[in-house]
Every structure is written in structure tokens, then in C-alpha cells.
Amino acid sequence: CGRGGFWEACATATELIRDTKRAMEKHPESLKNEIDKKEGKVTGLTAFDAMDAGDKTAKALVSRYIRYVGEGLVNIGNYIRPEIIFMGGGISNQGDWFIKRLQAYVTRYSYGAKKNPHITVVKATLNNEAGNFSAAALLAKT
């Protein structure tokens, strides 16, 4: 839609790629540039790979991304109080490390986190296929 500053604009792999490219331009000494040369392109996992290799700029990018995603999960949790939030998409393939940080964020920032039921964050098993299955289920009902 062209608007900025809302969850869908800040907490997507597309935005993480954009942020990673901007950081690579601003910090040409960054390991991300070396990883990009090897891979041939910047993906949603480039910042994670660079962070794993010790890149401080990438660590800051990933931390901010987790904060953006976490903030949206907290808002959903505060509004509807689900028992479980399933995380899908390519970035969720970062596995336990990523999910544990999101879980910590949700636990820490949920309203009444100590008094309300705990919200569990888990990796979805359908990954990027969840949208396809949802669309098929909707079509089957019509």
C-alpha cells in the first residue's frame, strides 16, 4: 500500500532484505557483503548468516527485526490472548534460536504476563505453504 511504520511493512522478510541492503551500502566492510558475494543475492537469511559469522551490523539488524516481529505478536496476544502463536515463513526456518527470542519477547511484553495464561510461540510445520492450504480450504467451502 506504500504506507510505512506498521507491522506488515516492518516485520517481513522483504523489509529485512531492504534493511540488509541498506546496511551493506552503509557498511561496505561488513561480512554481509562477503556472504552476498558467495550467495549471489541478498535474501531474508543473509543478515542471520552474517550475524552467525560475527557481524555486528547484522546482529543489530536481526535484533531490530525480532523486536518488530515480537511487537506485532505481543499486540495480537494482548488483543485476543491465543494459547499458541504459530510462526511460519522462510525466516521461521532459523529454528529454535529465532522462536526462543520471539517467545522471550512475547513473555516479557505481554500485558499481565505473570497473571494471564502464557502464550506459546512455536514454529509452524507448513512453512510457506500455509497460505496455499488456507486458500484451498476457503475454495473448498464455496
Side-chain angles (χ1 to χ4, degrees):
C1 73
R3 293 178 47 218
F6 58 97
W7 194 37
E8 185 66 21
C10 298
T12 63
T14 302
E15 187 60 26
L16 180 60
I17 291 167
R18 229 180 266 131
D19 286 347
T20 301
K21 287 178 179 179
R22 283 186 210 119
M24 292 169 76
E25 290 172 8
K26 189 173 181 180
H27 302 279
E29 75 287 355
S30 174
L31 286 173
K32 288 184 300 304
N33 289 310
E34 291 302 315
I35 290 170
D36 182 46
K37 287 176 190 172
K38 291 177 190 172
E39 294 177 0
K41 65 179 180 173
V42 177
T43 70
L45 302 179
T46 301
F48 287 93
D49 292 343
M51 180 191 69
D52 290 344
D55 188 279
K56 291 178 184 178
T57 303
K59 183 178 180 182
L61 278 172
V62 170
S63 293
R64 188 173 73 196
Y65 180 73
I66 288 171
R67 190 177 76 239
Y68 286 156
V69 174
E71 199 59 40
L73 296 180
V74 166
N75 289 335
I76 289 170
N78 288 338
Y79 185 66
I80 61 174
R81 295 309 293 184
E83 291 179 26
I84 299 175
I85 296 175
F86 293 94
M87 291 299 301
I91 301 296
S92 70
N93 289 329
Q94 289 298 307
D96 286 343
W97 180 93
F98 182 63
I99 299 299
K100 284 179 183 177
R101 274 158 186 79
L102 289 176
Q103 179 68 68
Y105 197 94
V106 168
T107 299
R108 181 174 183 189
Y109 293 107
S110 292
Y111 292 140
K114 293 183 181 177
K115 300 208 184 241
N116 283 325
H118 180 75
I119 299 170
T120 303
V121 179
V122 299
K123 182 182 180 296
T125 58
L126 296 176
N127 296 320
N128 285 337
E129 296 300 317
N132 295 335
F133 282 100
S134 297
L138 286 174
L139 285 173
K141 287 185 176 187
T142 58

